[in-house]
Amino acid sequence: EVNLCLNGKVFSSDPSHRDHRILIPEVGAGEAQNVLNLCDCQETEHRFTPDSNGLWKLDEGNGTKSVKGGVIIGANCWGGAIENAGLLNMYGGNVVGNKVISYGAITAMEPVNIYGGTVCGNTGEAAFFSWHWGARSNLYGGKIYENTVADAGVKVMGSSSIGLAGAVEIYDNGIDAQDKNLSCDWSSKA
C-alpha cells in the first residue's frame, strides 16, 4: 500500500513513455492487492490554457483555467495517466492535461474509489474508464469536467459497475457542444 501526497506539485514524467504515467499493478493469486492512496495537502493554484483540441496545457502565467492542488499531467499515451489493476483511492489531487488515445485519463481494471480531487482538461475516449469484468468503482465526491472525450466523462463497460453517491460532479464533458457525461453499456449497473 502506497500513500502518494502530491503536496501541491506538478507530477510529470518522461513524455516518450506511451503506456501510462502511474501503474498500480495486479498481483498473483493469493497475494495482497496493491493499493495507491492519492492525496494532496497543499492548495497551490496551477493555471492552464486549453489548446484547439480542448487539452489543457500548463500555463502558470497566463492560463484561463485553474485547479488547486497537485497535478498529474502530460501523458500522451495509450492507457491512462493512472492505470489501475489494483485498488486506487483518490482523496485529492488533479488529473489534468493528459492526451489518452484509448480508455481514460484514469483507467480502471480493478476498483477505484474517488472521494475528492478533479479529472479535467483531458482528451481521449473518456476521463474515467472502467472496463474489467466484475470491478465495482465508486464516486463519492470529486469533479469530472471539461474533458474533450469521444464517449463520456465516465464510461463503464462489461460487467464492471459504478456507484454514484455524495457530492460527485460530472459535467461539460464531450466534443464540441455535445455533452457526454455518463455512459454505461447494457451489462453495467449505474
Side-chain angles (χ1 to χ4, degrees):
E1 184 167 351
V2 173
N3 296 313
L4 174 60
C5 178
L6 293 176
N7 197 25
K9 306 295 184 190
V10 175
F11 175 85
S12 183
S13 58
D14 182 1
S16 65
H17 188 67
R18 300 283 184 207
D19 193 12
H20 48 261
R21 287 289 190 238
I22 297 173
L23 172 65
I24 307 163
E26 63 182 330
V27 296
E31 295 179 4
Q33 186 176 44
N34 288 316
V35 178
L36 174 64
N37 297 311
L38 181 65
C39 58
D40 200 355
C41 61
Q42 295 293 325
E43 292 266 322
T44 308
E45 183 179 54
H46 297 286
R47 297 174 61 103
F48 302 84
T49 298
D51 69 11
S52 61
N53 296 314
L55 182 68
W56 290 18
K57 301 283 189 174
L58 194 62
D59 184 1
E60 298 285 21
N62 301 305
T64 58
K65 304 284 185 178
S66 67
V67 297
K68 289 188 177 179
V71 178
I72 297 170
I73 190 172
N76 182 13
C77 57
W78 180 262
I82 301 175
E83 187 173 312
N84 175 45
L87 172 63
L88 170 63
N89 295 311
M90 184 172 172
Y91 297 98
N94 304 281
V95 180
V96 182
N98 297 284
K99 180 180 179 183
V100 183
I101 297 163
S102 189
Y103 307 119
I106 297 176
T107 298
M109 295 174 278
E110 293 296 334
V112 170
N113 296 306
I114 297 178
Y115 300 93
T118 64
V119 183
C120 57
N122 302 285
T123 66
E125 186 173 350
F128 175 79
F129 188 98
S130 178
W131 65 274
H132 201 266
W133 282 254
R136 177 184 170 88
S137 293
N138 296 290
L139 306 180
Y140 300 105
K143 296 180 182 180
I144 299 172
Y145 67 96
E146 291 187 30
N147 297 283
T148 305
V149 290
D151 201 321
V154 174
K155 181 176 181 179
V156 184
M157 291 183 59
S159 63
S160 61
S161 60
I162 189 94
L164 302 174
V168 64
E169 297 180 43
I170 306 168
Y171 61 92
D172 290 344
N173 299 287
I175 293 176
D176 300 323
Q178 185 178 8
D179 275 352
K180 298 180 174 189
N181 293 314
L182 179 62
S183 172
C184 297
D185 78 6
W186 64 272
S187 61
S188 298
K189 301 179 182 105

